[in-house]
Amino acid sequence: DATRPRRTLTLRSALAVWAAALLIALPLAAAAPGPAATEEGSVEREPYVSSAVVAAAEPIPTAPGVLRVGFPASGWSQVAGGRQPVELSRAGAVIPDGSPASAVYSGYMGRVAAYATLCDWSAHRESSTSINANDDEWRVKISQDDCQLEMKLDGEFTVNEEETEIVSLESGGRIRKLRLDGGRGGSIERRWWVDGDERDFDDDARAWLADMVLVIYRRAGYQATERAERILASGGTGALRQEISQITSDWTAGRYYSVLLAKGDLSSEELAAALRQLGDEIESDHQRGRLLMMVAENRTLDETVMAAYVDATRTIESDHQKGQVLTAVLNSGELNDGIVTAVLQSASDIESDHQLGGVLTSVADRYPVQGSLAEAYLAAAAKIDSDHQLRGVLSELVKTGDLDAAGVNAVLGVALHIDSDHQMAGLLTEVSRTYGVNDATESAFFRAVDRIDSDFQRRGVLSAVVSGGTASASTLGAVLGSSLDIDSDHERASLLIEIANEYTISGDLEVDYMRAADGIDSTHERNRVLAALHPRSSGSRRY
C-alpha cells in the first residue's frame, strides 16, 4: 500500500506496539481458532501472520530448491491456522531432521515462513491460471487458496541444466519482483525485493527463483514444446513421463504429452503405460480427448494399447468428448469382441442420446453384433431415452440380418422402452420383413405390438406380418387376436380382407376371423369382410 506511512517507530512507540501485540497474540495462540463462518455460510480464510511470530522461525538452509521451514510448537496454530504441511513432490527433496513442525516446501518467498505453508505452487490443488502471451511477452496470473502469483516476462531466457537459475536473458528482457535486466551478450543484472524492500540477491533469492523457474515451466507452460523435446532427447521417454507427472496444469501437461506421443519412439507397452498415466493424471476432458484422438488417428493400436485406451475414456465426463474418442478407436482398426465390449461398457456412461447413439451405430456398422457383444450393445441401447435415437440404433442392429431368434427377442425386449407409436411400428415392420415372425419370436413380437395405440400404425405392422402369405397358423391367430384392439372399422376391415385374400381361412382361424369381423360396427365394412371370406364367383371375378 503506497499510501501507508513507513517512517521508523520511536523506541517508546515500538514498546507500546509490542506490548499490545503480546496481549493479543498469546491468547489467540492458546485458543488455536478455526475458520469462522460468515452470515452467508462461507468460510473466511486465515490471514497471514505478523512478522513478530515469523521472526521465531529457524534459519533457512541455503541449498537451492530445498527449503526447511521450522515453527515453534506454540506458534504452529497461529502461523499455519491449523493446516498440515504439504511435502514437496519434486525428485530429490528430503525432509530434514528436526521438530515435528519441520517440512520441505515449495513456493517460499523471502523469509515470510508462513507464506510457504499457504503457497505451495507445486501441489496438486484446485487453482486457476490465466495466461496472456504475445510474442515474447508473457503475463501469467495464478490463484490458489489464499495465494496469488503474478509473473511478467519480457524476452526469452535460458536456464542452467538443473533448472534452478536463469543464466541468460535477451537484451532488454526483465522479470520482476525479482528483476533481471538483460545486458549485452546475455549478461544479467539481478535485483531482489521482499515486501517492497530491496535486498541482496542471496541464497534465499536463489531458492525462490529455483521454485519460480519450475512454476514458469510447469504451471504457465512456458516453452512447453521446446522443453519437452529437450527432456525427451536427454532422458528419453521415461524422463519425460516423470516430468509430466510433476505438472499440475492439464493444459501444460497436454503439450508435453503431445511431444511424447508424437515424437517418443514408444513400444506398445510404453504407449499403454503413457495412456494409463494420462487417464490417471489429466482431468480436463478436452485435453484427454484431444490426446486420445491423436493416438487413435496416428498409431496402429494392438490389444495391449486398446485396453489402456478404453480405460482412459472411462472417466471422461463430457459426452461429446467421450463419443468422439470411442468412435475414433472403433474406426482405427479391426477390434476383437472383448475390446468392442469394453468400448460399449464405457459408452454406457454417456448421457447424451445423440452421442451414445453415434457410438452404437459405429459398432453396428463395423462389427457383427452377436452373442456377448449383442448383450453389451443392447444394455447400452436401453439407456437411451429418445424414441427416435433408440429406434435408430435398434434398426441398425436389425438391418444386419445376423441375429438369431434370441437376438431378435432381445431387440424386441429393449424396444418396449419406445413410447412413440410411429417409431415402434417402424421398428417392428423392419423386424418382420427381415426375420419374419415365427414360433420362437412370436410372443416377444406381439408383446411389442400391444404397446401401439394408433389403429393406423398397428394395422400397418400386422399387414407386414401377413404380407406374402408365409405366416404360420399360430402367427395368423396372433394377428387376428391383435386386430381386436383396432377400433377403426376401416382399418380392421382392411386388415381382415388382406388376410382373407392371402390365406385359406378354416377351422379355429375362421372362428377367430369371424370374432374380429363381428366387432366391426359399420355394416358396409363388415359386409366387405364377410364377402372376402366367402367370395361368390362369376367367371374369374370375385365378389
Side-chain angles (χ1 to χ4, degrees):
D1 185 355
T3 63
R4 291 182 59 186
R6 300 188 182 275
R7 61 182 179 272
T8 303
L9 293 174
T10 65
L11 178 59
R12 177 177 298 179
S13 300
L15 289 174
V17 171
W18 275 105
L22 288 173
L23 288 173
I24 296 172
L26 291 178
L28 285 177
T38 64
E39 290 183 0
E40 292 77 15
S42 61
V43 176
E44 296 179 348
R45 299 189 180 278
E46 302 87 348
Y48 295 141
V49 300
S50 68
S51 59
V53 176
V54 174
E58 298 177 11
I60 307 301
T62 58
V66 180
L67 309 176
R68 181 170 182 266
V69 182
F71 299 97
S74 62
W76 176 260
S77 293
Q78 187 176 353
V79 172
R83 297 174 185 266
Q84 295 299 313
V86 179
E87 296 182 9
L88 178 62
S89 59
R90 189 185 309 166
V94 179
I95 299 178
D97 294 333
S99 67
S102 297
V104 174
Y105 289 95
S106 172
Y108 179 76
M109 180 174 287
R111 288 191 176 273
V112 185
Y115 193 86
T117 68
L118 295 173
C119 301
D120 182 2
W121 301 110
S122 70
H124 290 254
R125 293 206 295 270
E126 184 175 350
S127 63
S128 64
T129 303
S130 64
I131 301 172
N132 185 356
N134 182 17
D135 294 329
D136 293 334
E137 297 180 0
W138 276 56
R139 301 292 183 267
V140 181
K141 181 180 292 185
I142 304 173
S143 297
Q144 176 178 289
D145 297 335
D146 289 329
C147 305
Q148 182 167 294
L149 174 66
E150 294 187 35
M151 293 184 285
K152 300 178 182 180
L153 290 74
D154 298 327
E156 291 189 356
F157 62 86
T158 57
V159 299
N160 60 3
E161 187 174 351
E162 295 78 15
E163 295 185 340
T164 59
E165 172 67 289
I166 293 176
V167 295
S168 69
L169 182 68
E170 72 177 34
S171 180
R174 60 182 53 187
I175 300 177
R176 304 182 184 186
K177 264 304 185 169
L178 166 66
R179 175 171 168 173
L180 305 180
D181 290 331
R184 295 182 181 277
S187 62
I188 301 176
E189 176 189 355
R190 296 171 172 83
R191 299 181 66 186
W192 167 248
W193 289 265
V194 175
D195 292 336
D197 298 326
E198 186 168 3
R199 299 184 181 181
D200 293 336
F201 189 75
D202 55 11
D203 290 333
D204 287 349
R206 292 185 181 89
W208 180 85
L209 176 58
D211 273 348
M212 289 303 103
V213 168
L214 288 181
V215 170
I216 292 170
Y217 279 140
R218 291 175 174 173
R219 295 295 295 270
Y222 184 74
Q223 293 183 341
T225 300
E226 297 84 348
R227 182 169 181 256
E229 290 174 347
R230 289 197 302 269
I231 295 172
L232 182 63
S234 62
T237 57
L240 184 51
R241 284 184 54 210
Q242 184 176 8
E243 174 58 19
I244 292 173
S245 70
Q246 304 296 319
I247 297 174
T248 59
S249 163
D250 284 348
W251 179 81
T252 302
R255 298 180 68 184
Y256 281 69
Y257 269 117
S258 294
V259 172
L260 175 66
L261 298 174
K263 299 186 177 182
D265 187 15
L266 301 172
S267 66
S268 293
E269 291 73 17
E270 289 173 327
L271 179 55
L275 291 176
R276 285 191 291 270
Q277 178 179 340
L278 184 157
D280 291 339
E281 295 181 355
I282 296 291
E283 296 182 359
S284 164
D285 288 341
H286 172 73
Q287 290 297 333
R288 189 183 298 187
R290 179 183 69 83
L291 294 169
L292 291 173
M293 291 280 290
M294 179 180 175
V295 171
E297 293 171 357
N298 295 283
R299 289 289 302 256
T300 300
L301 308 182
D302 60 22
E303 187 171 342
T304 299
V305 176
M306 285 291 189
Y309 183 102
V310 175
D311 282 343
T313 69
R314 294 187 186 278
T315 54
I316 296 178
E317 296 181 358
S318 165
D319 291 338
H320 174 72
Q321 291 292 342
K322 180 173 280 194
Q324 277 195 323
V325 298
L326 291 177
T327 301
V329 75
L330 288 170
N331 296 334
S332 66
E334 292 302 320
L335 310 182
N336 62 37
D337 284 358
I339 295 297
V340 179
T341 297
V343 168
L344 291 170
Q345 290 171 345
S346 180
S348 294
D349 294 328
I350 296 177
E351 296 182 359
S352 164
D353 291 340
H354 173 72
Q355 294 296 335
L356 178 53
V359 174
L360 294 177
T361 298
S362 295
V363 171
D365 286 344
R366 293 186 61 89
Y367 301 95
V369 183
Q370 298 173 335
S372 61
L373 189 56
E375 293 178 9
Y377 185 101
L378 293 172
K383 296 189 176 183
I384 296 177
D385 293 324
S386 163
D387 290 339
H388 171 73
Q389 290 291 342
L390 180 54
R391 182 265 175 104
V393 299
L394 294 178
S395 292
E396 288 294 329
L397 198 53
V398 168
K399 286 187 295 186
T400 64
D402 295 329
L403 299 177
D404 56 14
V408 172
N409 286 337
V411 168
L412 294 170
V414 176
L416 296 177
H417 295 285
I418 297 176
D419 293 324
S420 163
D421 289 344
H422 171 71
Q423 298 297 341
M424 177 70 90
L427 176 65
L428 293 179
T429 299
E430 291 172 350
V431 170
S432 175
R433 290 175 177 171
T434 305
Y435 298 97
V437 180
N438 54 45
D439 293 343
T441 60
E442 183 180 297
S443 176
F445 185 91
F446 284 98
R447 188 181 304 116
V449 172
D450 287 343
R451 299 293 300 273
I452 300 175
D453 293 326
S454 164
D455 291 338
F456 173 77
Q457 297 292 351
R458 180 179 289 229
R459 177 267 172 115
V461 171
L462 297 178
S463 292
V465 173
V466 300
S467 177
T470 58
S472 67
S474 175
T475 299
L476 279 178
V479 169
L480 291 170
S482 182
S483 71
L484 296 176
D485 290 323
I486 297 177
D487 294 327
S488 165
D489 289 343
H490 174 72
E491 296 296 346
R492 188 188 294 192
S494 297
L495 174 64
L496 294 177
I497 291 171
E498 185 177 352
I499 293 173
N501 289 338
E502 293 278 355
Y503 299 88
T504 299
I505 305 299
S506 62
D508 291 340
L509 285 179
E510 185 172 3
V511 174
D512 293 336
Y513 187 98
M514 293 303 299
R515 183 183 298 112
D518 288 344
I520 298 175
D521 293 330
S522 166
T523 302
H524 170 73
E525 295 291 354
R526 186 170 60 254
N527 287 339
R528 290 179 59 226
V529 168
L530 296 176
L533 181 62
H534 301 291
R536 290 179 298 170
S537 60
S538 176
S540 60
R541 185 176 179 183
R542 297 183 66 187
Y543 295 90

